[in-house]
Amino acid sequence: MANHRFVPRGILKRVIAIYPGSFDPLTNGHLDLIQRGAKIFDELVVAILRNSEKTALFSVEERLEMLRTSTGHLPNVRIESFEGLLVDFARKSGAQAVLRGIRVISDYEYELQMAWMNRKLDPSLETVFMMPAGSYSYLSSRIVREIASLGGSLAGLLPPSVETQLRERLGVAPLAPK
Ligand code: PNS
């Protein structure tokens, strides 16, 4: 006779990952990674660091809004901000993984150092690296800010609303096409 007290339920694990960063501003490279992460993880929490030593161009509230507007179509993506250690925020969020993007090999050293340090702080938290599309391998928020401040074209590199906000913030009109 079957033991009715034992009901196999299969694997019930729900994997929550945190995708932390500055997102100053959000780029299409970030969005590409968010979309890839949303396919792999059950829930993806995109987390903007609040206590950055860097002086940001956009406030955390502006960045939260940018990210929420651009990820509204992804039901398993949540946008939040955090202060303090990433491992503490991950624990509070019930996350088992941290997602980070690696564009080119030079990213690897910094990312590896962070991943090792986070592992030392919390050995139960895994770091998962993913690659954005190759067409974004040269893209960064820093370079986007620089191109925008010099009036260069940012076609295809930012969500259109972010590009408008960036040009307004810097008070620079795009260069007329040649
Ligand atoms: O987009 P960025 O600026 O490369 O993101 C860096 C970030 C936010 C992931 C990193 O600075 C971070 O996690 N800061 C939180 C503080 C912390 O936990 N530091 C130890 C990590 S080694």
Side-chain angles (χ1 to χ4, degrees):
M1 200 174 134
N3 178 356
H4 292 291
R5 279 179 304 173
F6 175 70
V7 182
R9 291 193 170 87
I11 295 170
L12 291 177
K13 201 156 83 174
R14 250 186 95 70
V15 182
I16 303 175
I18 310 280
Y19 176 35
S22 307
F23 307 102
D24 187 36
L26 169 70
T27 68
N28 284 348
H30 294 130
L31 275 181
D32 179 282
L33 212 77
I34 292 169
Q35 270 159 9
R36 288 172 200 279
K39 283 195 292 184
I40 300 281
F41 299 108
D42 294 297
E43 212 181 303
L44 184 65
V45 181
V46 182
I48 303 170
L49 177 64
R50 272 193 181 271
N51 57 345
S52 176
E53 287 165 9
K54 303 175 197 168
T55 29
L57 187 59
F58 291 99
S59 70
V60 171
E61 279 59 38
E62 287 171 322
R63 285 177 274 159
L64 283 166
E65 189 55 39
M66 273 176 198
L67 273 152
R68 286 188 179 133
T69 305
S70 302
T71 60
H73 61 294
L74 299 168
N76 60 336
V77 172
R78 207 154 30 91
I79 313 298
E80 293 195 7
S81 64
F82 75 106
E83 270 177 306
L85 285 175
L86 177 62
V87 291
D88 292 337
F89 177 71
R91 199 174 299 123
K92 273 186 252 151
S93 309
Q96 300 93 333
V98 171
L99 171 65
R100 289 287 289 175
I102 292 203
R103 294 160 297 188
V104 286
I105 200 74
S106 52
D107 282 343
Y108 188 66
E109 209 169 322
Y110 169 63
E111 293 300 330
L112 197 64
Q113 185 185 25
M114 273 206 300
W116 277 119
M117 187 51 82
N118 284 332
R119 178 173 284 175
K120 180 171 165 26
L121 293 169
D122 182 351
S124 69
L125 187 66
E126 294 295 340
T127 298
V128 176
F129 296 125
M130 290 181 84
M131 299 175 298
S135 49
Y136 300 133
S137 59
Y138 56 88
L139 180 56
S140 72
S141 297
R142 188 196 59 74
I143 212 155
V144 153
R145 291 195 300 266
E146 185 174 317
I147 300 300
S149 70
L150 299 170
S153 167
L154 293 168
L157 301 182
L158 300 176
S161 59
V162 173
E163 180 169 353
T164 307
Q165 274 175 279
L166 182 59
R167 295 206 188 279
E168 279 172 10
R169 179 58 44 94
L170 295 168
V172 181
L175 290 181
K178 288 189 185 134

